[in-house]
C-alpha cells in the first residue's frame, strides 16, 4: 500500500447553525494513490467541497469544525502525517506547496487589486524562496505552460481584464507553481463554454503527467468525470454512497442516486419529452428509509423517449402559424475606438446582419461560445441593448419604432430570465415582494392582497412553497432562486420569454428539474421561448430549432436534431466534439491508453 498518497479515514466535519448541528461530512473514508485522478461527484450540499476544504484545513472555525477522523498524508520526506493534528503554522508548509487547490470561481478567488503576475509570484516567493526576478521568470514560464496568450501582457493584467477561461488558467498556474503532489480542483470548469472546458481538462491532464501529481477533481457533472477520472466517489448528504472505477460506475451504477445523476444529463443521441431527475430514481418512506423507484436508467429513458417522427410533426404544426417574432438584418454594434473629437473609428460587431423567425409555441435555441453575440442578440430583441439597424417585428409591429409608453405596455408580454438569479434579485426584498413588484408597476390586480394570492399561485406553479413568500434570496439554493426568477417572469402573464443562460451554473440534477419546469410551463401556457446557452446538449434538449452563432453572425440554423446529427459547419462540429458525452466506449478507450 506504499503507493497511497492520501488516506482519509472516518472524516467528520460539522457546522453549528441556528437550526442545530449540520454534519456536512459524516464518517467519510477513501484513498488517493500516486498519479491517480479521483473524481468526487454529487449535488450542492452533498459534502464534496467541504471534504476538499477539510483536507486543505480551510474550514472556518467557528462555525465549522473537523470533529473526527484522520487525514493521513505521505509527504515528500517519506513521513506519514495526520493533517488534522497539525498546527496552523505547520499546515501552511503543506498548503500550496505539497497540496494545492483550484477554486470554483476564479473571479472571487483572485484578488482584484493585484495583477495576475503578482499573485502567482507571491506563492513562489512564499514556498520556494525565490527572489523577485526569478519569481517573475517562473511565473511567465507557468503562464506559457497553461497556454495563456501573450504571457508578459497577462503578467501585468488585472483579473477583470481577462475572460473566464483565462482567469481559470491563472488559477491553474498558481496551483501548479510549486509542483504539488496533490492537486484539488473544485468545480474548475463550471459555467465555462464546452470548448473552453475541454481545453482546461486537457491542460490539467497534461500538467498532471508533467509533474507526476495526483488529482482530486470535484464536480456535479458525471460527464466531465468520464473525461478525466480513473476512479469515482459519489457523495450524497455528507456520505459516500458509491465508489469504484469510472468504467464500473458508468457501466453498472448500483445506487439509485448515482443512476439519477447519470440519467439527468440531457442525452445527445435521443429526444426526450422530459429529463429524468434524482427524484425519479429514489425517495424515502415515513421512517426515512430510502426507496428505489426505478431499477435501471434504460427503463426510465424508455418512459420519456420521443420518436423523430413526433419531433418533426410538432415543428410542422408550429410552423403552419404566422411567426410571432421576425428579426431582419439586425445589427448591434458597440464603439471600440474613438478619435479626439469623439467620432467612432472602429466597432465591435456583437450582432452583425442576423435574420430569423420564431413561431408561436416554439423554442428557438441560441448556442455558441462566450462572445459570439447570443446574449446581445437576446437583449436587442427586448430593446435592452442599443440596436444600430434592422427590424424586430413582434406580432406585426416593429418594436424599434415604439415609443416609451408602447414599449412599457409590450414588456408585459416579453420577459427575460437572467443567467445569475442571485444578482437579478434584490437582496433587500423578500421573494414575495420581488415577484409582486412588476404587478404593482403595471397595475395588475386591484390591490396587494389579490397580488399576494397570485404570487403564492406562481410559487406553487414553480414547485415552491407558499411559506417562502417572506424569505429573502440568500435563504434559498441556486435552483430555488432560479425558480423564483421564473415565477417573477410569469407574474405579468407573458407570451414570449428569453431564457439567457438560465441553467448554466446549476447542478445537473437541479438543471434537469428547472428545464422540465420550463417545458411544462410552455405546454400549459403556450409560451414561446428563445433559449440561450453555451451548452449544446441543453439547447438540443430544449429546442425545436437551433441557431449556432459565431462572431456575431449565424453559422447555421435548422431543426435541433438535424444540426446535432448532421452539422454542416466546422465551428458546429467543434462545439459538438467538445461536449463531454460519458460514453462507455470512450471511457474504455481512455483506460486502455492510460494502461499502455
Amino acid at each position: 500500500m506504499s503507493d497511497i498518497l492520501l488516506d482519509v479515514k472516518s472524516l467528520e466535519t460539522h457546522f453549528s447553525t441556528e437550526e442545530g448541528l449540520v454534519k456536512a461530512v459524516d464518517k467519510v473514508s477513501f484513498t488517493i494513490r500516486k498519479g491517480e485522478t479521483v473524481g468526487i461527484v454529487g449535488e450542492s450540499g452533498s459534502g464534496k467541497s467541504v471534504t476538499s476544504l477539510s483536507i486543505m484545513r480551510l474550514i472556518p472555525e467557528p462555525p465549522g469544525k473537523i470533529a473526527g477522523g484522520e487525514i493521513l498524508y505521505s509527504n515528500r520526506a517519506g513521513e506519514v502525517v495526520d493533517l488534522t493534528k497539525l498546527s496552523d503554522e505547520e499546515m501552511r508548509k503543506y498548503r500550496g506547496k505539497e497540496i494545492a487547490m483550484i477554486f470554483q470561481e476564479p473571479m472571487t478567488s483572485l484578488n482584484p487589486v493585484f495583477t495576475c503576475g503578482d499573485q502567482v509570484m507571491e506563492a513562489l516567493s512564499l514556498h520556494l524562496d525565490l527572489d523577485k526576478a526569478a519569481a517573475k521568470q517562473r511565473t511567465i514560464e507557468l503562464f506559457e505552460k497553461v497556454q495563456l496568450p501573450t504571457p508578459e501582457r497577462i503578467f501585468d493584467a488585472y483579473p477583470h481584464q481577462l475572460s473566464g477561461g483565462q482567469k481559470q488558467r491563472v488559477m491553474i498556474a498558481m496551483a501548479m507553481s510549486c509542483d504539488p503532489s496533490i492537486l484539488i480542483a473544485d468545480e474548475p470548469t463550471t459555467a465555462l463554454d464546452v470548448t473552453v472546458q475541454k481545453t482546461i481538462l486537457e491542460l490539467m491532464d497534461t500538467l498532471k503527467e508533467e509533474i507526476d501529481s495526483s488529482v482530486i477533481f470535484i464536480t456535479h457533472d458525471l460527464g466531465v468525470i468520464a473525461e478525466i477520472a480513473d476512479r469515482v466517489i459519489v457523495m450524497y448528504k455528507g456520505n459516500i454512497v458509491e465508489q469504484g472505477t469510472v468504467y464500473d460506475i458508468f457501466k453498472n451504477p448500483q445506487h439509485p442516486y448515482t443512476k439519477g445523476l447519470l440519467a439527468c444529463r440531457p442525452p445527445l443521441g435521443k429526444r426526450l419529452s422530459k429529463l429524468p431527475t434524482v427524484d425519479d430514481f429514489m425517495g424515502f418512506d415515513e421512517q426515512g428509509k430510502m426507496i428505489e423507484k426505478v431499477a435501471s436508467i434504460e427503463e426510465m429513458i424508455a418512459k420519456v423517449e420521443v420518436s423523430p417522427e413526433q419531433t418533426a410533426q410538432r415543428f410542422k404544426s408550429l410552423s403552419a402559424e404566422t411567426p410571432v417574432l421576425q428579426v431582419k438584418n439586425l445589427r448591434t454594434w458597440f464603439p471600440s475606438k474613438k478619435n479626439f473629437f469623439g467620432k467612432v473609428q472602429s466597432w465591435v460587431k456583437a450582432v452583425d446582419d442576423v435574420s430569423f423567425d420564431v413561431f408561436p409555441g416554439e423554442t428557438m435555441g441560441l448556442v455558441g461560445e462566450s462572445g459570439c453575440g447570443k446574449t446581445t442578440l437576446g437583449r436587442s430583441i427586448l430593446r435592452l441593448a442599443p440596436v444600430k439597424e434592422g427590424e424586430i417585428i413582434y406580432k406585426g409591429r416593429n418594436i424599434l419604432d415604439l415609443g416609451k409608453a408602447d414599449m412599457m405596455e409590450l414588456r408585459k408580454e416579453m420577459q427575460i430570465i437572467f443567467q445569475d438569479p442571485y444578482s437579478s434579485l434584490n437582496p433587500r426584498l423578500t421573494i414575495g415582494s420581488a415577484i409582486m413588484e412588476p404587478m404593482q408597476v403595471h397595475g395588475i390586480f386591484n390591490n396587494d392582497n389579490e397580488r399576494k394570492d397570485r404570487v403564492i399561485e406562481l410559487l406553487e406553479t414553480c414547485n415552491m412553497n407558499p411559506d417562502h413568500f417572506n424569505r429573502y434570496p440568500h435563504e434559498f439554493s441556486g435552483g430555488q432562486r432560479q425558480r423564483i426568477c421564473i415565477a417573477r417572469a410569469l407574474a405579468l402573464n407573458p407570451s414570449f420569454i428569453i431564457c439567457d443562460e438560465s441553467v448554466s451554473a446549476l447542478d445537473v440534477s437541479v438543471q434537469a428539474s428547472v428545464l422540465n419546469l420550463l417545458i411544462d410551463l410552455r405546454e400549459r401556457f403556450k409560451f414561446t421561448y428563445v433559449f440561450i446557452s453555451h451548452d449544446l446538449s441543453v439547447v438540443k434538449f430544449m429546442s425545436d430549432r437551433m441557431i449556432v452563432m459565431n462572431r456575431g453572425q449565424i453559422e447555421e440554423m435548422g431543426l435541433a436534431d438535424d444540426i446535432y446529427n448532421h452539422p454542416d459547419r466546422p465551428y458546429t462540429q467543434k462545439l459538438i466534439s467538445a461536449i463531454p458525452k460519458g460514453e462507455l466506449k470512450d471511457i474504455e478507450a481512455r483506460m486502455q491508453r492510460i494502461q499502455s
Side-chain angles (χ1 to χ4, degrees):
M1 302 296 283
S2 59
D3 65 337
I4 290 180
L5 195 57
L6 190 75
D7 189 1
V8 176
K9 293 183 174 181
S10 301
L11 178 65
E12 295 181 67
T13 305
H14 299 169
F15 288 87
S16 299
T17 69
E18 290 178 4
E19 286 78 30
L21 193 70
V22 173
K23 295 183 178 181
V25 175
D26 192 16
K27 292 187 169 58
V28 160
S29 300
F30 62 91
T31 58
I32 309 291
R33 290 182 164 79
K34 289 176 183 174
E36 179 179 48
T37 298
V38 174
I40 303 182
V41 71
E43 299 169 287
S44 294
S46 63
K48 56 191 190 300
S49 291
V50 176
T51 300
S52 67
L53 291 170
S54 301
I55 293 168
M56 292 292 288
R57 289 276 309 278
L58 290 173
I59 298 294
E61 296 186 31
K65 180 186 179 185
I66 296 176
E70 298 174 302
I71 304 171
L72 305 176
Y73 169 63
S74 299
N75 66 20
R76 286 175 181 164
E79 305 160 337
V80 175
V81 293
D82 184 352
L83 300 181
T84 66
K85 301 291 192 291
L86 299 181
S87 67
D88 289 343
E89 192 175 338
E90 288 170 325
M91 188 62 206
R92 272 195 288 271
K93 294 173 185 174
Y94 291 99
R95 193 188 296 129
K97 187 176 183 182
E98 294 198 31
I99 307 173
M101 189 163 181
I102 304 166
F103 293 95
Q104 178 173 353
E105 180 43 71
M107 194 64 224
T108 53
S109 306
L110 291 168
N111 192 324
V113 299
F114 291 104
T115 65
C116 296
D118 282 341
Q119 294 184 63
V120 178
M121 278 176 61
E122 183 184 22
L124 291 166
S125 304
L126 180 68
H127 292 298
L128 301 184
D129 200 27
L130 298 179
D131 62 35
K132 196 170 182 180
K136 181 175 181 178
Q137 182 60 37
R138 169 73 173 150
T139 301
I140 290 171
E141 286 170 7
L142 284 164
F143 285 173
E144 285 172 353
K145 251 186 188 178
V146 297
Q147 299 165 21
L148 278 164
T150 56
E152 288 83 1
R153 178 185 67 81
I154 295 217
F155 182 91
D156 293 317
Y158 289 89
H160 73 272
Q161 296 173 301
L162 307 184
S163 70
Q166 288 173 336
K167 284 196 281 275
Q168 200 57 282
R169 286 165 198 258
V170 170
M171 290 291 295
I172 292 170
M174 192 185 300
M176 295 288 196
S177 60
C178 300
D179 296 347
S181 301
I182 298 175
L183 176 67
I184 301 172
D186 186 7
E187 302 266 16
T189 58
T190 297
L192 293 180
D193 294 342
V194 283
T195 46
V196 178
Q197 173 178 272
K198 186 180 182 184
T199 341
I200 295 285
L201 293 177
E202 287 172 350
L203 173 65
M204 285 182 62
D205 216 27
T206 306
L207 293 174
K208 173 205 155 193
E209 295 301 320
E210 274 184 28
I211 65 174
D212 193 26
S213 71
S214 300
V215 175
I216 300 173
F217 195 97
I218 296 165
T219 182
H220 59 259
D221 190 346
L222 273 159
V224 172
I225 287 289
E227 301 280 312
I228 197 166
D230 305 310
R231 283 192 301 121
V232 185
I233 294 167
V234 182
M235 290 191 71
Y236 176 68
K237 292 191 174 178
N239 296 286
I240 292 175
V241 294
E242 188 167 358
Q243 58 180 311
T245 68
V246 67
Y247 184 81
D248 288 343
I249 293 288
F250 274 76
K251 183 176 174 58
N252 191 23
Q254 297 298 305
H255 198 278
Y257 180 70
T258 312
K259 293 174 188 176
L261 285 182
L262 282 165
C264 65
R265 295 171 57 248
L268 288 162
K270 295 174 180 172
R271 169 70 72 165
L272 307 183
S273 60
K274 61 164 275 191
L275 285 174
T277 64
V278 169
D279 290 340
D280 290 323
F281 286 86
M282 62 184 283
F284 297 91
D285 62 18
E286 291 176 1
Q287 285 74 43
K289 187 181 177 183
M290 191 196 73
I291 305 164
E292 185 168 1
K293 294 180 180 178
V294 182
S296 72
I297 295 172
E298 292 73 22
E299 182 186 340
M300 185 65 215
I301 295 291
K303 291 180 180 180
V304 292
E305 190 169 358
V306 177
S307 70
E309 292 75 24
Q310 287 172 293
T311 306
Q313 184 56 44
R314 172 181 153 80
F315 180 69
K316 188 177 178 182
S317 62
L318 291 173
S319 59
E321 302 281 330
T322 304
V324 68
L325 178 76
Q326 294 173 287
V327 175
K328 298 181 179 180
N329 308 110
L330 189 68
R331 287 184 169 87
T332 302
W333 295 3
F334 298 98
S336 66
K337 190 178 178 184
K338 295 182 180 180
N339 64 16
F340 179 77
F341 301 101
K343 186 178 179 181
V344 178
Q345 294 183 305
S346 63
W347 298 85
V348 173
K349 298 179 180 181
V351 177
D352 194 24
D353 197 22
V354 165
S355 301
F356 62 92
D357 297 341
V358 184
F359 297 101
E362 180 184 14
T363 299
M364 173 66 87
L366 280 182
V367 70
E369 297 171 289
S370 293
C372 72
K374 57 189 187 296
T375 290
T376 304
L377 175 55
R379 288 170 177 259
S380 299
I381 291 168
L382 295 179
R383 279 187 48 182
L384 297 174
V387 172
K388 193 172 192 300
E389 59 184 67
E391 294 178 277
I392 302 168
I393 298 166
Y394 178 75
K395 293 185 177 178
R397 304 163 76 194
N398 186 354
I399 68 170
L400 297 178
D401 296 337
L402 297 183
K404 190 175 180 181
D406 287 337
M407 195 62 214
M408 178 84 161
E409 188 64 26
L410 191 62
R411 291 208 186 280
K412 290 183 194 176
E413 286 192 45
M414 305 176 81
Q415 287 289 304
I416 185 167
I417 303 165
F418 292 101
Q419 175 174 1
D420 182 359
Y422 195 72
S423 60
S424 58
L425 289 168
N426 187 331
R428 295 178 180 177
L429 289 182
T430 64
I431 62 124
S433 301
I435 298 169
M436 197 188 291
E437 189 178 38
M439 293 190 240
Q440 293 167 330
V441 169
H442 288 276
I444 293 174
F445 296 110
N446 298 317
N447 54 56
D448 280 353
N449 285 335
E450 290 182 12
R451 292 180 189 118
K452 183 176 180 178
D453 290 342
R454 174 63 176 151
V455 171
I456 289 170
E457 186 186 322
L458 288 168
L459 286 172
E460 289 175 331
T461 301
C462 295
N463 303 328
M464 297 287 287
N465 193 319
D467 294 343
H468 292 153
F469 185 94
N470 292 313
R471 293 193 190 174
Y472 289 88
H474 72 272
E475 297 180 79
F476 296 95
S477 69
Q480 287 174 320
R481 283 198 289 264
Q482 198 57 279
R483 285 193 179 97
I484 292 161
C485 288
I486 292 169
R488 186 176 60 177
L490 301 181
L492 300 177
N493 297 320
S495 56
F496 180 88
I497 299 176
I498 292 177
C499 304
D500 184 12
E501 297 274 14
S502 50
V503 295
S504 63
L506 300 178
D507 291 348
V508 283
S509 51
V510 178
Q511 173 182 280
S513 63
V514 171
L515 293 176
N516 287 342
L517 172 63
L518 289 170
I519 285 179
D520 179 49
L521 294 171
R522 183 186 70 189
E523 300 310 311
R524 284 168 62 189
F525 300 110
K526 308 301 178 193
F527 290 144
T528 303
Y529 290 136
V530 170
F531 191 91
I532 300 168
S533 178
H534 61 256
D535 188 336
L536 198 143
S537 61
V538 169
V539 170
K540 177 184 173 291
F541 166 72
M542 281 295 295
S543 306
D544 298 292
R545 285 186 300 155
M546 186 192 298
I547 293 172
V548 181
M549 286 193 71
N550 183 24
R551 296 182 180 178
Q553 297 185 319
I554 293 176
E555 283 277 337
E556 61 182 301
M557 175 169 56
L559 291 172
D561 290 339
D562 290 349
I563 285 183
Y564 174 73
N565 293 320
H566 310 289
D568 286 336
R569 310 283 295 182
Y571 178 77
T572 312
Q573 292 163 7
K574 183 181 82 167
L575 282 182
I576 291 169
S577 67
I579 301 168
K581 298 174 180 66
E583 292 179 357
L584 280 172
K585 59 182 175 59
D586 298 332
I587 296 170
E588 196 169 17
R590 186 168 68 82
M591 294 292 109
Q592 286 170 353
R593 282 198 306 274
I594 291 167
Q595 286 163 8
S596 61

